[in-house]
Amino acid sequence: MSEPVDAGEPPPGLQLTTAEWGLWQAFRNGSEHDLRSREPELDDPNGDHPWGPERTVRARVVALLLLHGPPPLLGRVASLHLTGAYVTGCLDISGGAVEHYFELRQCRFEKEIRMPEARVHTARFVDCFIPRLEGARLTTEGDLHLPRCSVPDGIKLTDATIGTDLLLNEATIGSGRRSHAVSADGITVSQELQASLLVTDGLVSLRGATVGSSLHMFGSVLRNRRGRYALYAPQMTVEQVASFADAGRASAPQIYGATPPTGTRYDFHTHGGPSRPEAGGGTRWRTKHFECTGGMVLDDGRFGSSLVIENARLDLQRDQELSLRRITTPELTFTPQTPERGLIVLSGATVEKLMDRTLSWPRDERLWMAGFTYQLAIAKEGHFNVRERLQWVETATAEYAPEPYEQLALMYRNSGEDTNARIVLLAKQRRRRATLPLPGKIWGYLQDWTVAYGYRPGQAALWMGFLWLTGALLFESHRPSALKGDEHPHWNAALYTLDLLLPVISFGQDQAWNPAGGYQWLAAGLIMLGWILATTVAAGATRLLRRQ
């Protein structure tokens, strides 16, 4: 296998079978070599039916064609198109350079495929059974397609570089005796990573992955019952959209997108896809939900356009999390089904626009979002009023912290909703009051009852008016004696009461009259209440000026 074949004939001693000889000629011709029986049950790569010698091709022959294949026939381009074959042995092209395009469809591999540190142009395995795929540091100039493949022992693409798209749509990937179903830490995908309708059993690890366009996981089912995480993808960078959402009619263009003419073809009505034909010739769509059984970690991720976690089903244990710590994205759509257990963590996340719904957030201490900043919050479904937003903030702060309240108030103020901003800041002061010692609590209650910490200045005017009217009526019926005999201004109960209430302004009444008995205590009480009202009004005015 180390010497190139120049004459177009197989090397001596290789002893090709009929199926292999047909593949050899098809390679030179650039045409498909189809070994299927045309009976769906017998052609299922995952079935139990044996495939005989007429459908058997040795992995050694496939590797020889890919690495050192014969020259093409005149006017043709050599390429490998193999369909419906049983490939025996281990297909090993480790460290090799494959110049030819190759696609294997509905093939059954006896042993793993090994491609670590190989360089290929475009590689497509479609609807194949592959025990395991080893592709650490694999480099492709074009696509790597694995749609509808079954890989029971997992895929390893650590530090791989994919020149265009990586397709895992409708694949079923297990972990075997390992912990990882997909190990792709540090992978770089220049365009899209499509993993819709993917089913995994084991950890999917994408730590430090870079996706040049979008990441789609519409209707995927990720399960890992033996470990803490089902999806572990911290420090991931997606230049456009990352979607973890339903697979339905709206997402069909992303799932069944166009590919090059010689590329992967999809059948909309097979393999458990989201649709099936009806009697009238139309298509009835079945929505499939994104499901994650196990923790989902996207910490420190950067999403250039948006992160969408929509209508997802999350099955978490008590020590597991949906973790979005310190992510950065212009838009976060967060509308999953509320998990019964586990934590939702957005601590330190930075989002410009948050689109969510009330029922997606836990109603207890399972929501953490210390340091979570956002500029705009919009209810994607239903109505999210200020009282519900306050409950959302209180749920996320088991202990009092001012930042979530100030963040929510800032959002309302930037949206021009000053009334809601004042409601939020008043709730912050009331929550803070519970943490103060007794004197602070008493003073806080006085500020709350009088001017609502300055956020309801009209409340002070009502109190002032009530005290003024009450004092004026009482002193009108019980005029106090003058301090200096006839040297006093004309008696005016209303001005006298106003002089007592206002600590700075004087109308000359309070210094001219001398109440006695219980009215002396009444005058002292009005003076004290006047100081309290004036102090709290001044504090409220200071806050108002500071906000403006």
Side-chain angles (χ1 to χ4, degrees):
M1 289 177 56
S2 61
E3 297 181 0
V5 179
D6 297 323
E9 297 296 326
L14 189 58
Q15 297 180 353
L16 298 181
T17 65
T18 302
E20 293 169 348
W21 181 256
L23 176 61
W24 190 277
Q25 297 304 320
F27 176 85
R28 298 190 64 195
N29 196 42
S31 59
E32 180 182 14
H33 186 49
D34 192 346
L35 299 176
R36 291 177 296 180
S37 67
R38 298 298 189 270
E39 295 186 30
E41 184 178 358
L42 300 179
D43 290 333
D44 183 5
N46 299 291
D48 296 328
H49 295 279
W51 290 2
E54 72 282 359
R55 301 182 62 170
T56 299
V57 174
R58 287 171 291 173
R60 176 189 177 191
V61 176
V62 176
L64 173 62
L65 290 171
L66 293 178
L67 297 173
H68 303 293
L73 299 177
L74 293 179
R76 308 296 293 182
V77 177
S79 59
L80 191 146
H81 299 261
L82 179 60
T83 303
Y86 178 44
V87 182
T88 58
C90 174
L91 177 56
D92 191 347
I93 57 172
S94 302
V98 179
E99 300 294 333
H100 307 289
Y101 170 88
F102 66 96
E103 178 172 328
L104 293 95
R105 299 171 54 84
Q106 290 186 278
C107 290
R108 181 186 296 175
F109 288 81
E110 179 188 24
K111 297 183 179 180
E112 67 180 8
I113 297 175
R114 297 188 54 82
M115 305 170 66
E117 302 196 38
R119 300 185 63 87
V120 304
H121 283 274
T122 294
R124 291 189 170 105
F125 301 90
V126 182
D127 196 12
C128 294
F129 175 84
I130 305 170
R132 178 171 173 80
L133 176 64
E134 287 276 355
R137 297 174 298 281
L138 168 69
T139 300
T140 74
E141 294 184 13
D143 301 334
L144 174 60
H145 286 197
L146 294 159
R148 300 199 300 271
C149 285
S150 296
V151 191
D153 286 338
I155 294 175
K156 185 173 184 179
L157 292 171
T158 305
D159 297 319
T161 301
I162 309 302
T164 50
D165 299 335
L166 172 60
L167 264 65
L168 298 172
N169 293 346
E170 299 183 272
T172 301
I173 305 174
S175 56
R177 297 181 180 179
R178 299 173 173 84
S179 60
H180 290 60
V182 177
S183 180
D185 296 343
I187 190 173
T188 299
V189 181
S190 297
Q191 295 186 19
E192 291 195 347
L193 198 169
Q194 298 185 24
S196 297
L197 301 174
L198 171 69
V199 177
T200 63
D201 183 8
L203 174 62
V204 176
S205 184
L206 294 168
R207 179 171 55 88
T210 300
V211 181
S213 181
S214 297
L215 164 64
H216 297 305
M217 282 195 173
F218 294 110
S220 296
V221 178
L222 311 182
R223 299 190 182 101
N224 186 14
R225 295 186 174 91
R226 296 181 295 175
R228 186 173 181 182
Y229 307 113
L231 175 62
Y232 186 72
Q235 303 171 0
M236 180 168 62
T237 299
V238 179
E239 294 297 334
Q240 295 184 19
V241 182
S243 299
F244 305 90
D246 290 345
R249 183 180 295 275
S251 59
Q254 285 77 30
I255 300 174
Y256 300 108
T259 56
T262 58
T264 306
R265 299 181 297 278
Y266 288 98
D267 182 352
F268 277 69
H269 311 308
T270 60
H271 302 283
S275 63
R276 63 170 180 249
E278 292 182 317
T283 299
R284 182 172 64 190
W285 285 80
R286 295 185 294 109
T287 298
K288 298 189 70 173
H289 306 294
F290 175 84
E291 299 179 17
C292 186
T293 302
M296 180 173 171
V297 176
L298 300 174
D299 296 347
D300 300 296
R302 186 176 69 84
F303 307 94
S305 178
S306 65
L307 170 61
V308 179
I309 303 176
E310 188 170 15
N311 206 29
R313 271 60 173 168
L314 305 173
D315 185 1
L316 306 176
Q317 299 302 315
R318 294 185 181 277
D319 62 340
Q320 294 175 339
E321 304 174 350
L322 167 56
S323 182
L324 305 177
R325 290 178 174 87
R326 299 175 298 278
I327 66 164
T328 302
T329 181
E331 181 176 305
L332 171 61
T333 299
F334 190 86
T335 59
Q337 301 294 319
T338 307
E340 296 181 359
R341 298 175 298 274
L343 302 175
I344 304 294
V345 185
L346 290 101
S347 302
T350 302
V351 173
E352 293 181 14
K353 181 168 69 173
L354 171 65
M355 300 179 66
D356 60 350
R357 65 181 176 189
T358 310
L359 299 178
S360 293
W361 302 105
R363 298 287 179 162
D364 50 27
E365 69 280 357
R366 295 182 297 121
L367 174 60
W368 296 359
M369 55 181 195
F372 175 40
T373 60
Y374 50 94
Q375 297 181 14
L376 185 63
I378 302 173
K380 185 174 177 63
E381 297 179 17
H383 183 59
F384 220 150
N385 59 41
V386 65
R387 300 297 178 188
E388 291 170 325
R389 285 288 179 199
L390 277 173
Q391 184 180 6
W392 174 61
V393 168
E394 291 168 2
T395 298
T397 52
E399 297 181 357
Y400 167 73
E403 291 82 5
Y405 292 92
E406 292 168 358
Q407 175 64 50
L408 182 58
L410 178 62
M411 186 273 291
Y412 279 125
R413 193 176 300 121
N414 291 339
S415 302
E417 301 178 59
D418 289 337
T419 300
N420 287 341
R422 288 194 293 270
I423 291 173
V424 172
L425 293 173
L426 176 57
K428 182 191 82 167
Q429 293 293 340
R430 289 171 174 169
R431 183 88 182 273
R432 174 179 175 271
R433 184 175 65 210
T435 66
L436 298 176
L438 183 60
K441 288 181 180 179
I442 294 173
W443 178 240
Y445 279 115
L446 284 173
Q447 290 191 82
D448 197 354
W449 291 338
T450 53
V451 292
Y453 290 95
Y455 298 111
R456 294 176 183 169
Q459 190 169 311
L462 291 175
W463 275 107
M464 188 70 78
F466 172 75
L467 293 173
W468 186 19
L469 178 61
T470 302
L473 291 175
L474 290 174
F475 283 116
E476 184 65 33
S477 59
H478 296 83
R479 175 180 172 177
S481 60
L483 282 172
K484 298 182 180 180
D486 294 335
E487 295 182 14
H488 58 79
H490 179 72
W491 168 250
N492 188 313
L495 287 178
Y496 179 72
T497 305
L498 194 61
D499 241 352
L500 295 174
L501 286 171
L502 298 178
V504 178
I505 301 174
S506 177
F507 297 100
Q509 292 282 332
D510 57 335
Q511 301 296 326
W513 306 98
N514 184 24
Y519 288 93
Q520 189 177 29
W521 288 104
L522 174 62
L526 289 174
I527 292 172
M528 292 180 62
L529 290 173
W531 273 103
I532 291 172
L533 284 172
T535 304
T536 51
V537 167
T542 301
R543 291 193 190 98
L544 178 63
L545 291 174
R546 187 182 298 118
R547 291 196 301 271
Q548 292 178 345

